[in-house]
Amino acid sequence: LLQLKPSLRTQVLIGGAFVSMGYISQSVALIDTSPALVSFLGAATVIVCPILQWAVDKKPMSIKDAPQTWLAAFLCMSGVAALELFDASPGVSFSSSLAESVSRLGVGDALSLFQAIGFGIGMFLSGKMMKQEPDQALQITAGMVTTTAFFAMLWCISDGWMLEPGWESMGLPGLLLNPEMRIVALAVAWTGILSTSTNFCIETIALGRVPSSEASVILATEPLWASLFAALWFNEQFGINDYIGGVLMISACLVNTLKPSDITSCFLKSSQPSD
């Protein structure tokens, strides 16, 4: 962290603040919103990142200029919707499943969109910093994780839970020393070290080589991997929605590798009448 170059400090603080907004809004949204819907709305980062490239970098990002980006975003959002919003249980129709998901819309859904905005801006700024200083991946990661931890600390203090009796067992080092909280401690350690810090570092390195609009599509495949590991480790059955969602999300990743001319020529060929 001390080796972070001065030219990046302000950007790291701003990026960390937006990532903190993403985590906090996600956590609050999960209080009264289903994880499936939070995951779906969080995938809106595939829309946030291209908009930022257009608004901030002045990069041409219209459907005409970057059709592969918007087609990939559409396929990705459709895939997440198929995975998260539709119930493949016998006797549950497509329309009733969709109606039930829409009927749960509320404040938590707005917070879920703030999650997408926060994470999207964080990814965008990480990519810009890595373009400026490609050798600062670890330092950028340390700065953004530290900033996120700082805002999380402020949230914990303002929330008032530290005034409740027995709060010590939920903090450090009490969480690690209490045998009854061992499973929780392992979950916290896994989330903090692997799912957050390590993942953050890998993501930052990748954003130095791949535009945030492309990386966001790959990262949005998280529900697909969750379904796959649930099937492998917990013997959960794949439904038709899982297969459809998987095909759509893999298609989104493949479409994202194409050039605009590839998409244009494909549609031109399909629109030409056959002899």
Side-chain angles (χ1 to χ4, degrees):
L1 181 60
L2 298 177
Q3 296 176 358
L4 181 67
K5 293 185 178 180
S7 60
L8 297 178
R9 289 174 183 170
T10 302
Q11 295 179 70
V12 164
L13 288 174
I14 295 174
F18 276 106
V19 171
S20 302
M21 183 184 82
Y23 278 119
I24 292 173
S25 58
Q26 180 188 73
S27 300
V28 177
L30 286 168
I31 295 175
D32 60 1
T33 306
S34 69
L37 198 52
V38 172
S39 177
F40 168 68
L41 294 173
T45 51
V46 300
I47 299 174
V48 173
C49 289
I51 291 176
L52 287 171
Q53 287 184 301
W54 166 75
V56 179
D57 291 341
K58 307 302 180 184
K59 181 179 179 180
M61 293 298 295
S62 66
I63 294 180
K64 181 179 179 180
D65 295 314
Q68 79 285 2
T69 299
W70 297 108
L71 179 56
F74 172 76
L75 291 171
C76 184
M77 293 293 289
S78 300
V80 176
L83 283 167
E84 301 290 1
L85 300 185
F86 301 123
D87 189 352
S89 303
V92 179
S93 66
F94 175 88
S95 57
S96 62
S97 179
L98 179 59
E100 182 182 355
S101 298
V102 173
S103 67
R104 295 195 297 263
L105 294 178
V107 176
D109 305 285
L111 291 172
S112 298
L113 289 176
F114 276 109
Q115 163 203 198
I117 294 171
F119 289 146
I121 294 176
M123 289 177 59
F124 176 74
L125 291 176
S126 296
K128 289 184 73 68
M129 287 186 284
M130 283 299 294
K131 293 291 192 302
Q132 297 174 30
E133 303 288 349
D135 60 339
Q136 289 276 289
L138 287 175
Q139 290 81 358
I140 292 171
T141 301
M144 294 188 73
V145 170
T146 301
T147 304
T148 303
F150 174 75
F151 279 103
M153 179 190 70
L154 294 180
W155 182 31
C156 287
I157 294 174
S158 63
D159 189 62
W161 70 274
M162 295 180 68
L163 302 177
E164 299 293 330
W167 70 268
E168 298 88 350
S169 62
M170 296 298 294
L172 294 176
L175 189 65
L176 301 175
L177 299 176
N178 188 345
E180 297 180 358
M181 303 296 291
R182 189 163 297 164
I183 295 178
V184 176
L186 289 174
V188 169
W190 177 279
T191 303
I193 297 173
L194 293 176
S195 299
T196 302
S197 301
T198 304
N199 179 64
F200 227 134
C201 184
I202 296 172
E203 177 185 313
T204 302
I205 294 172
L207 285 168
R209 306 178 183 181
V210 180
S212 59
S213 58
E214 295 183 19
S216 62
V217 173
I218 298 174
L219 292 173
T221 61
E222 180 183 346
L224 175 60
W225 293 103
S227 298
L228 179 61
F229 284 120
L232 293 176
W233 289 351
F234 301 108
N235 297 319
E236 291 192 10
Q237 298 297 317
F238 257 44
I240 185 65
N241 63 313
D242 295 306
Y243 289 107
I244 293 173
V247 169
L248 287 170
M249 300 192 81
I250 293 172
S251 300
C253 294
L254 294 176
V255 166
N256 224 7
T257 65
L258 299 176
K259 298 178 181 178
S261 57
D262 297 328
I263 303 293
T264 305
S265 61
C266 179
F267 278 100
L268 286 175
K269 289 180 180 179
S270 62
S271 62
Q272 291 177 352
S274 57
D275 294 333

